[in-house]
Amino acid sequence: MISLTGGLRCRCEIHLIDQKEELDVLFCGLPIPLGMLTLGSDGEHLIGLWLEGQKYFGGAVREALEERDGLPVFDAARDWLARYFAGEKPMPSELPLCPIGGEFRQRVWRLLCQIPYGETTTYGALARALAAQMGRPSMSSQAVGGAVGHNPISII
């Protein structure tokens, strides 16, 4: 766990799903102040949260989506989002997150969970933090930017 800005530290647990693994991908729709949101789950974890019309809608999900509401993970995400849009600051660690992506993207997404509310950072700062974490002299800011762009749980 690292702090990018020296501020609040959070523990963001992101579980890795092998992309070759067969998943039953479930979804439900949720209206939010920004439009319609589609929540995706493997039945236990939140694997995606996409705005309607989002560039990478569905992300790395290759299976057909089956609509199902009433899952505890969807209820937890609804509660989290309601608190977020009410101006509260719920922590990403409150949700069982499991976005689908390779190891590099997973590392970048974990770093994103470390950015404190109200703070901003740059791809360059993320790249430096990731390089330090991996024991490398440098890391491509463009590669980090690409991983950020493919983040399937960006609101969280």
Side-chain angles (χ1 to χ4, degrees):
M1 178 170 54
I2 65 167
S3 175
L4 294 177
T5 61
L8 176 68
R9 291 177 178 222
C10 76
R11 183 166 190 82
C12 183
E13 293 294 327
I14 295 181
H15 304 274
L16 182 62
I17 291 180
D18 183 348
Q19 292 185 359
K20 296 174 186 152
E21 183 178 325
E22 287 289 323
L23 292 177
D24 289 326
V25 181
L26 311 170
F27 79 96
C28 74
L30 176 66
I32 62 169
L34 303 173
M36 187 55 113
L37 191 67
T38 298
L39 304 173
S41 173
D42 64 2
E44 295 180 34
H45 305 95
L46 196 61
I47 64 168
L49 203 115
W50 303 281
L51 284 168
E52 192 171 55
Q54 182 175 330
K55 183 174 182 179
Y56 298 109
F57 188 93
V61 175
R62 296 184 184 119
E63 296 78 14
L65 299 175
E66 175 188 331
E67 187 169 11
R68 187 176 316 159
D69 202 352
L71 291 175
V73 68
F74 290 156
D75 294 339
R78 278 190 194 94
D79 176 66
W80 193 100
L81 289 162
R83 290 184 293 132
Y84 175 80
F85 286 113
E88 295 179 30
K89 298 178 179 179
M91 299 304 293
S93 60
E94 294 176 30
L95 294 171
L97 305 176
C98 195
I100 299 171
E103 183 181 344
F104 178 77
R105 287 182 181 175
Q106 297 281 333
R107 285 177 178 265
V108 172
W109 299 338
R110 279 192 291 273
L111 283 177
L112 294 176
C113 289
Q114 302 293 322
I115 302 169
Y117 276 96
E119 299 287 327
T120 59
T121 191
T122 64
Y123 295 151
L126 291 170
R128 286 188 294 279
L130 187 57
Q133 185 182 76
M134 297 174 72
R136 296 179 59 176
S138 65
M139 176 67 57
S140 165
S141 298
Q142 288 177 313
V144 168
V148 170
H150 284 86
N151 180 1
I153 54 170
S154 59
I155 291 177
I156 297 170

